[in-house]
Coordinates of all heavy atoms in Angstrom, one line a residue:
M1 N 201.5 16.8 -90.0 CA 201.5 18.1 -90.7 C 202.8 18.8 -90.5 O 203.3 18.8 -89.4 CB 200.4 19.0 -90.2 CG 200.4 20.4 -90.7 SD 199.0 21.3 -90.0 CE 199.0 22.6 -91.2
P2 N 203.4 19.3 -91.6 CA 204.7 20.1 -91.4 C 204.5 21.3 -90.5 O 203.4 21.9 -90.5 CB 205.1 20.5 -92.8 CG 204.3 19.6 -93.7 CD 203.0 19.2 -92.9
S3 N 205.5 21.6 -89.8 CA 205.4 22.8 -88.9 C 206.0 24.0 -89.6 O 207.0 23.9 -90.3 CB 206.2 22.5 -87.6 OG 206.3 23.6 -86.8
S4 N 205.5 25.2 -89.3 CA 206.0 26.4 -89.9 C 207.2 26.9 -89.0 O 207.8 27.9 -89.3 CB 204.9 27.5 -90.0 OG 204.4 27.8 -88.8
V5 N 207.4 26.3 -87.8 CA 208.4 26.7 -86.9 C 209.5 25.7 -86.7 O 210.7 26.1 -86.6 CB 207.7 27.0 -85.5 CG1 208.7 27.4 -84.5 CG2 206.6 28.1 -85.6
I6 N 209.1 24.5 -86.6 CA 210.1 23.4 -86.3 C 210.4 22.6 -87.6 O 209.5 22.1 -88.2 CB 209.5 22.4 -85.2 CG1 209.4 23.2 -83.9 CG2 210.5 21.2 -85.0 CD1 208.7 22.4 -82.8
K7 N 211.7 22.6 -87.9 CA 212.1 21.9 -89.1 C 212.3 20.4 -88.9 O 211.9 19.6 -89.7 CB 213.4 22.5 -89.6 CG 214.0 21.9 -90.9 CD 215.3 22.6 -91.3 CE 215.8 22.0 -92.5 NZ 217.1 22.7 -92.9
A8 N 212.9 20.1 -87.7 CA 213.2 18.7 -87.4 C 213.5 18.5 -85.9 O 213.8 19.5 -85.2 CB 214.4 18.2 -88.2
F9 N 213.3 17.3 -85.4 CA 213.7 17.1 -84.0 C 214.1 15.6 -83.8 O 213.7 14.8 -84.7 CB 212.5 17.4 -83.1 CG 211.3 16.7 -83.3 CD1 211.0 15.5 -82.6 CD2 210.3 17.1 -84.2 CE1 209.8 14.8 -82.9 CE2 209.2 16.5 -84.4 CZ 208.9 15.3 -83.8
A10 N 214.9 15.4 -82.8 CA 215.3 14.0 -82.5 C 215.4 13.9 -81.0 O 215.6 14.9 -80.3 CB 216.7 13.8 -83.1
Y11 N 215.1 12.7 -80.5 CA 215.1 12.5 -79.0 C 216.1 11.4 -78.6 O 216.0 10.3 -79.2 CB 213.7 12.1 -78.6 CG 213.6 12.0 -77.1 CD1 213.8 13.0 -76.2 CD2 213.2 10.8 -76.5 CE1 213.7 12.9 -74.9 CE2 213.1 10.6 -75.2 CZ 213.3 11.7 -74.3 OH 213.2 11.6 -73.0
D12 N 216.9 11.6 -77.7 CA 217.8 10.7 -77.1 C 217.2 10.2 -75.7 O 217.3 11.0 -74.8 CB 219.2 11.3 -76.9 CG 220.1 10.4 -76.1 OD1 219.8 9.2 -75.8 OD2 221.2 10.9 -75.7
E13 N 216.5 9.1 -75.7 CA 215.8 8.7 -74.5 C 216.7 8.4 -73.4 O 216.4 8.8 -72.2 CB 215.0 7.4 -74.8 CG 214.0 7.1 -73.7 CD 213.0 6.0 -74.1 OE1 212.9 5.6 -75.3 OE2 212.2 5.6 -73.3
A14 N 217.9 7.8 -73.6 CA 218.8 7.5 -72.5 C 219.3 8.8 -71.8 O 219.4 8.8 -70.6 CB 220.0 6.7 -73.1
G15 N 219.6 9.8 -72.6 CA 220.1 11.1 -72.0 C 219.0 12.1 -71.8 O 219.2 13.1 -71.2
Q16 N 217.8 11.8 -72.2 CA 216.6 12.7 -72.1 C 216.9 14.0 -72.7 O 216.7 15.1 -72.1 CB 216.2 12.8 -70.6 CG 215.5 11.6 -70.0 CD 214.8 11.9 -68.7 OE1 215.4 12.6 -67.8 NE2 213.6 11.4 -68.6
I17 N 217.5 14.0 -73.9 CA 217.8 15.2 -74.6 C 216.9 15.3 -75.9 O 217.0 14.4 -76.7 CB 219.3 15.2 -75.0 CG1 220.2 15.2 -73.8 CG2 219.6 16.5 -75.9 CD1 221.6 15.0 -74.1
L18 N 216.2 16.3 -76.0 CA 215.4 16.6 -77.2 C 216.0 17.7 -78.0 O 216.2 18.8 -77.5 CB 214.0 17.0 -76.8 CG 213.0 17.4 -77.9 CD1 212.7 16.2 -78.8 CD2 211.7 17.9 -77.3
T19 N 216.5 17.4 -79.2 CA 217.2 18.3 -80.0 C 216.2 18.8 -81.1 O 215.6 18.0 -81.8 CB 218.4 17.7 -80.7 OG1 219.3 17.2 -79.7 CG2 219.2 18.7 -81.5
I20 N 216.0 20.1 -81.1 CA 215.1 20.7 -82.1 C 215.8 21.6 -83.0 O 216.5 22.5 -82.5 CB 213.9 21.4 -81.3 CG1 213.2 20.5 -80.4 CG2 213.0 22.1 -82.3 CD1 212.1 21.1 -79.6
T21 N 215.6 21.5 -84.3 CA 216.1 22.4 -85.3 C 214.9 23.2 -85.8 O 213.9 22.6 -86.2 CB 216.7 21.6 -86.5 OG1 217.8 20.8 -85.9 CG2 217.3 22.6 -87.5
F22 N 215.0 24.5 -85.7 CA 214.0 25.4 -86.2 C 214.2 25.8 -87.6 O 215.3 25.6 -88.2 CB 213.9 26.6 -85.2 CG 213.6 26.3 -83.8 CD1 214.6 26.0 -82.9 CD2 212.3 26.2 -83.4 CE1 214.3 25.7 -81.6 CE2 211.9 25.9 -82.1 CZ 212.9 25.6 -81.2
V23 N 213.1 26.3 -88.3 CA 213.2 26.6 -89.7 C 214.2 27.7 -89.9 O 214.7 27.9 -91.0 CB 211.8 27.0 -90.3 CG1 210.9 25.8 -90.3 CG2 211.2 28.2 -89.5
S24 N 214.5 28.5 -88.9 CA 215.6 29.5 -88.9 C 217.0 29.0 -89.1 O 217.9 29.7 -89.5 CB 215.5 30.4 -87.7 OG 216.0 29.6 -86.6
G25 N 217.1 27.6 -88.8 CA 218.4 27.0 -88.9 C 219.0 26.8 -87.5 O 220.0 26.1 -87.4
R26 N 218.5 27.5 -86.5 CA 219.1 27.4 -85.2 C 218.6 26.1 -84.6 O 217.5 25.6 -84.8 CB 218.7 28.5 -84.3 CG 219.3 29.8 -84.7 CD 218.9 30.9 -83.8 NE 219.5 32.2 -84.3 CZ 220.0 33.1 -83.5 NH1 220.0 32.9 -82.2 NH2 220.5 34.2 -84.0
A27 N 219.5 25.4 -83.8 CA 219.1 24.2 -83.2 C 219.5 24.3 -81.7 O 220.5 24.9 -81.3 CB 219.9 23.0 -83.8
Y28 N 218.7 23.6 -80.9 CA 218.9 23.6 -79.4 C 218.6 22.2 -78.9 O 217.7 21.5 -79.4 CB 217.9 24.6 -78.7 CG 218.2 26.0 -79.1 CD1 217.6 26.6 -80.2 CD2 219.1 26.8 -78.4 CE1 217.8 27.9 -80.6 CE2 219.4 28.1 -78.7 CZ 218.7 28.6 -79.8 OH 219.0 29.9 -80.2
A29 N 219.4 21.8 -77.9 CA 219.3 20.6 -77.2 C 218.6 20.9 -75.8 O 219.2 21.5 -75.0 CB 220.6 19.9 -77.0
Y30 N 217.4 20.4 -75.7 CA 216.7 20.6 -74.4 C 216.9 19.4 -73.5 O 216.8 18.3 -73.8 CB 215.2 20.7 -74.7 CG 214.8 22.0 -75.5 CD1 215.0 22.0 -76.9 CD2 214.5 23.1 -74.8 CE1 214.8 23.2 -77.6 CE2 214.2 24.3 -75.5 CZ 214.4 24.3 -76.9 OH 214.2 25.5 -77.6
Q31 N 217.4 19.8 -72.3 CA 217.9 18.8 -71.3 C 216.8 18.3 -70.4 O 216.0 19.1 -70.0 CB 219.0 19.4 -70.5 CG 220.1 20.1 -71.3 CD 220.9 19.2 -72.1 OE1 221.5 18.3 -71.6 NE2 220.9 19.4 -73.4
G32 N 216.8 17.1 -70.0 CA 215.9 16.5 -69.0 C 214.5 16.4 -69.5 O 213.6 16.4 -68.6
V33 N 214.3 16.2 -70.7 CA 212.9 16.1 -71.3 C 212.4 14.7 -71.2 O 213.1 13.8 -71.7 CB 212.9 16.6 -72.8 CG1 211.5 16.4 -73.3 CG2 213.4 18.0 -72.9
P34 N 211.4 14.4 -70.4 CA 210.8 13.1 -70.3 C 210.3 12.5 -71.7 O 209.9 13.3 -72.5 CB 209.7 13.2 -69.3 CG 209.9 14.5 -68.7 CD 210.6 15.4 -69.6
A35 N 210.4 11.2 -71.8 CA 209.9 10.6 -73.0 C 208.5 10.9 -73.4 O 208.2 11.1 -74.6 CB 210.1 9.0 -72.9
D36 N 207.6 11.1 -72.4 CA 206.2 11.4 -72.8 C 206.1 12.8 -73.4 O 205.2 13.0 -74.3 CB 205.3 11.2 -71.6 CG 205.6 12.1 -70.4 OD1 206.8 12.3 -70.1 OD2 204.6 12.6 -69.8
I37 N 206.9 13.7 -73.0 CA 206.9 15.0 -73.6 C 207.4 15.0 -75.0 O 206.8 15.6 -75.9 CB 207.7 16.0 -72.7 CG1 207.1 16.2 -71.3 CG2 207.8 17.4 -73.4 CD1 205.7 16.7 -71.3
A38 N 208.5 14.3 -75.2 CA 209.0 14.1 -76.6 C 208.0 13.4 -77.5 O 207.8 13.8 -78.7 CB 210.4 13.3 -76.6
Q39 N 207.4 12.4 -77.0 CA 206.3 11.7 -77.7 C 205.2 12.6 -78.0 O 204.6 12.6 -79.1 CB 205.8 10.5 -76.9 CG 204.7 9.7 -77.6 CD 205.2 8.9 -78.8 OE1 206.3 9.0 -79.3 NE2 204.3 8.0 -79.2
G40 N 204.8 13.5 -77.1 CA 203.8 14.4 -77.4 C 204.1 15.4 -78.5 O 203.2 15.7 -79.3
L41 N 205.4 15.8 -78.6 CA 205.8 16.6 -79.7 C 205.6 15.8 -81.0 O 205.1 16.4 -82.0 CB 207.2 17.1 -79.5 CG 207.8 17.9 -80.7 CD1 207.0 19.2 -80.8 CD2 209.3 18.2 -80.5
R42 N 206.1 14.6 -81.0 CA 206.0 13.8 -82.2 C 204.5 13.6 -82.7 O 204.2 13.7 -83.9 CB 206.6 12.4 -82.0 CG 206.7 11.5 -83.2 CD 207.3 10.2 -83.0 NE 206.4 9.3 -82.3 CZ 205.4 8.6 -83.0 NH1 205.2 8.8 -84.2 NH2 204.6 7.8 -82.3
L43 N 203.6 13.5 -81.8 CA 202.2 13.3 -82.1 C 201.4 14.5 -82.3 O 200.3 14.5 -82.8 CB 201.5 12.4 -81.0 CG 202.1 11.0 -80.8 CD1 201.4 10.3 -79.6 CD2 201.9 10.2 -82.1
A44 N 201.9 15.7 -81.9 CA 201.2 16.9 -81.9 C 200.9 17.3 -83.4 O 201.7 17.3 -84.3 CB 202.0 18.0 -81.3
F45 N 199.6 17.7 -83.6 CA 199.2 18.3 -84.9 C 199.9 19.6 -85.1 O 200.4 19.9 -86.2 CB 197.7 18.4 -85.0 CG 197.2 19.0 -86.3 CD1 197.2 18.2 -87.4 CD2 196.8 20.3 -86.3 CE1 196.8 18.7 -88.6 CE2 196.3 20.8 -87.5 CZ 196.3 20.0 -88.7
A46 N 199.9 20.5 -84.1 CA 200.5 21.8 -84.2 C 201.8 21.8 -83.3 O 201.7 22.0 -82.1 CB 199.5 22.9 -83.7
K47 N 202.9 21.4 -83.9 CA 204.1 21.2 -83.2 C 204.6 22.5 -82.5 O 205.1 22.5 -81.4 CB 205.2 20.6 -84.1 CG 204.8 19.1 -84.5 CD 205.8 18.4 -85.3 CE 205.5 17.0 -85.6 NZ 204.2 16.5 -85.3
G48 N 204.5 23.6 -83.2 CA 204.9 24.9 -82.7 C 204.1 25.2 -81.4 O 204.7 25.7 -80.4
E49 N 202.8 25.0 -81.4 CA 202.0 25.3 -80.3 C 202.3 24.3 -79.1 O 202.4 24.8 -78.0 CB 200.5 25.1 -80.6 CG 199.9 26.2 -81.4 CD 198.4 26.0 -81.7 OE1 197.7 25.3 -80.9 OE2 198.0 26.4 -82.7
Y50 N 202.6 23.1 -79.4 CA 202.9 22.1 -78.4 C 204.3 22.5 -77.8 O 204.5 22.5 -76.6 CB 203.0 20.7 -79.0 CG 203.3 19.7 -77.9 CD1 202.3 19.1 -77.1 CD2 204.7 19.3 -77.7 CE1 202.6 18.2 -76.1 CE2 205.0 18.4 -76.7 CZ 204.0 17.8 -75.9 OH 204.3 16.9 -74.9
F51 N 205.2 22.9 -78.6 CA 206.5 23.3 -78.2 C 206.4 24.5 -77.2 O 207.0 24.5 -76.1 CB 207.4 23.7 -79.3 CG 208.7 24.4 -78.9 CD1 209.7 23.8 -78.4 CD2 208.8 25.8 -79.1 CE1 210.9 24.4 -78.0 CE2 209.9 26.5 -78.7 CZ 211.0 25.8 -78.1
N52 N 205.6 25.5 -77.6 CA 205.4 26.7 -76.7 C 204.8 26.3 -75.4 O 205.1 26.8 -74.3 CB 204.6 27.7 -77.4 CG 205.4 28.4 -78.5 OD1 206.6 28.6 -78.4 ND2 204.7 28.9 -79.5
K53 N 203.8 25.4 -75.4 CA 203.1 25.0 -74.2 C 203.9 24.0 -73.3 O 203.8 24.2 -72.1 CB 201.8 24.3 -74.6 CG 200.9 23.9 -73.5 CD 199.6 23.2 -74.0 CE 199.4 21.9 -73.4 NZ 198.4 21.1 -73.9
A54 N 204.6 23.1 -73.8 CA 205.1 22.0 -73.0 C 206.6 22.0 -72.9 O 207.2 21.3 -72.0 CB 204.6 20.6 -73.6
I55 N 207.3 22.7 -73.8 CA 208.8 22.6 -73.8 C 209.5 23.9 -73.5 O 210.4 24.0 -72.7 CB 209.3 21.9 -75.1 CG1 208.7 20.6 -75.2 CG2 210.8 21.9 -75.2 CD1 208.8 20.0 -76.6
R56 N 209.1 24.9 -74.3 CA 209.8 26.2 -74.2 C 209.8 26.8 -72.8 O 208.7 26.8 -72.2 CB 209.1 27.2 -75.2 CG 209.7 28.5 -75.3 CD 209.0 29.4 -76.2 NE 209.7 30.6 -76.4 CZ 209.2 31.6 -77.1 NH1 208.1 31.5 -77.7 NH2 210.0 32.7 -77.2
E57 N 210.9 27.2 -72.4 CA 211.1 27.8 -71.0 C 210.8 26.9 -69.9 O 210.7 27.3 -68.7 CB 210.3 29.1 -70.9 CG 210.8 30.1 -71.9 CD 210.3 31.5 -71.7 OE1 209.9 31.8 -70.6 OE2 210.3 32.3 -72.7
R58 N 210.6 25.6 -70.2 CA 210.4 24.6 -69.1 C 211.7 23.7 -68.9 O 211.8 23.1 -67.9 CB 209.2 23.7 -69.4 CG 207.9 24.4 -69.4 CD 206.8 23.5 -69.7 NE 205.5 24.1 -69.6 CZ 204.7 24.1 -68.6 NH1 204.9 23.3 -67.6 NH2 203.5 24.7 -68.6
Y59 N 212.5 23.7 -69.9 CA 213.7 22.9 -69.9 C 214.9 23.7 -70.3 O 214.8 24.6 -71.1 CB 213.6 21.6 -70.9 CG 212.4 20.8 -70.5 CD1 211.2 20.9 -71.1 CD2 212.5 19.8 -69.4 CE1 210.1 20.1 -70.7 CE2 211.5 19.0 -69.1 CZ 210.3 19.2 -69.7 OH 209.2 18.4 -69.3
V60 N 216.1 23.4 -69.8 CA 217.3 24.0 -70.1 C 217.6 23.8 -71.6 O 217.6 22.6 -72.0 CB 218.5 23.6 -69.2 CG1 219.8 24.2 -69.7 CG2 218.2 23.9 -67.8
A61 N 217.9 24.8 -72.4 CA 218.2 24.7 -73.8 C 219.6 25.1 -74.0 O 220.0 26.2 -73.7 CB 217.2 25.5 -74.6
L62 N 220.4 24.2 -74.7 CA 221.8 24.6 -75.0 C 221.8 24.6 -76.5 O 221.3 23.7 -77.2 CB 222.7 23.5 -74.5 CG 222.7 23.3 -73.0 CD1 223.6 22.1 -72.6 CD2 223.1 24.5 -72.3
P63 N 222.5 25.7 -77.1 CA 222.6 25.8 -78.5 C 223.5 24.6 -79.1 O 224.4 24.2 -78.5 CB 223.3 27.1 -78.8 CG 223.7 27.6 -77.5 CD 223.1 26.8 -76.4
V64 N 223.1 24.2 -80.2 CA 223.8 23.1 -80.9 C 224.5 23.8 -82.1 O 223.8 24.5 -82.9 CB 222.8 22.0 -81.4 CG1 223.6 21.0 -82.2 CG2 222.2 21.4 -80.2
S65 N 225.8 23.5 -82.3 CA 226.5 24.1 -83.4 C 226.2 23.4 -84.7 O 226.0 22.1 -84.6 CB 228.0 24.0 -83.1 OG 228.3 24.8 -82.0
A66 N 226.2 24.1 -85.8 CA 226.0 23.4 -87.1 C 227.1 22.4 -87.3 O 228.3 22.7 -87.0 CB 225.9 24.5 -88.2
G67 N 226.8 21.3 -87.9 CA 227.8 20.3 -88.3 C 228.2 19.4 -87.1 O 229.1 18.6 -87.2
T68 N 227.5 19.4 -86.0 CA 227.8 18.5 -84.9 C 226.8 17.3 -85.0 O 226.0 17.2 -85.9 CB 227.6 19.2 -83.5 OG1 226.2 19.5 -83.4 CG2 228.4 20.5 -83.4
D69 N 227.0 16.4 -84.1 CA 226.1 15.2 -84.0 C 224.8 15.5 -83.2 O 224.2 14.6 -82.7 CB 226.9 14.0 -83.4 CG 227.2 14.2 -82.0 OD1 227.0 15.3 -81.4 OD2 227.7 13.2 -81.4
S70 N 224.4 16.8 -83.2 CA 223.2 17.2 -82.5 C 223.2 17.1 -81.0 O 222.2 17.0 -80.3 CB 222.0 16.4 -83.0 OG 221.8 16.7 -84.4
R71 N 224.4 17.1 -80.4 CA 224.6 17.1 -79.0 C 225.2 18.4 -78.6 O 226.1 18.9 -79.3 CB 225.4 15.9 -78.5 CG 224.7 14.6 -78.8 CD 225.5 13.5 -78.3 NE 224.9 12.2 -78.8 CZ 224.3 11.4 -78.0 NH1 224.2 11.6 -76.7 NH2 223.7 10.3 -78.5
P72 N 224.9 19.0 -77.5 CA 225.5 20.2 -77.0 C 227.0 20.1 -76.8 O 227.5 19.1 -76.6 CB 224.7 20.6 -75.8 CG 224.1 19.3 -75.3 CD 224.0 18.4 -76.5

């Protein structure tokens, strides 16, 4: 199901970086996110709810500039 909050996301398993782009256009790279948490986001029916419960304010978030390769 499409999310009303999250536009897209990508996960770098080697670096444990979860990059999330929100519908607002802002993007953040969340540091130190374990693979099972990223997988949980992928599988979540309500991605915004999962994000708030399992990711938001639990991991360091660095803003990602537009036009970059999605890395901080």
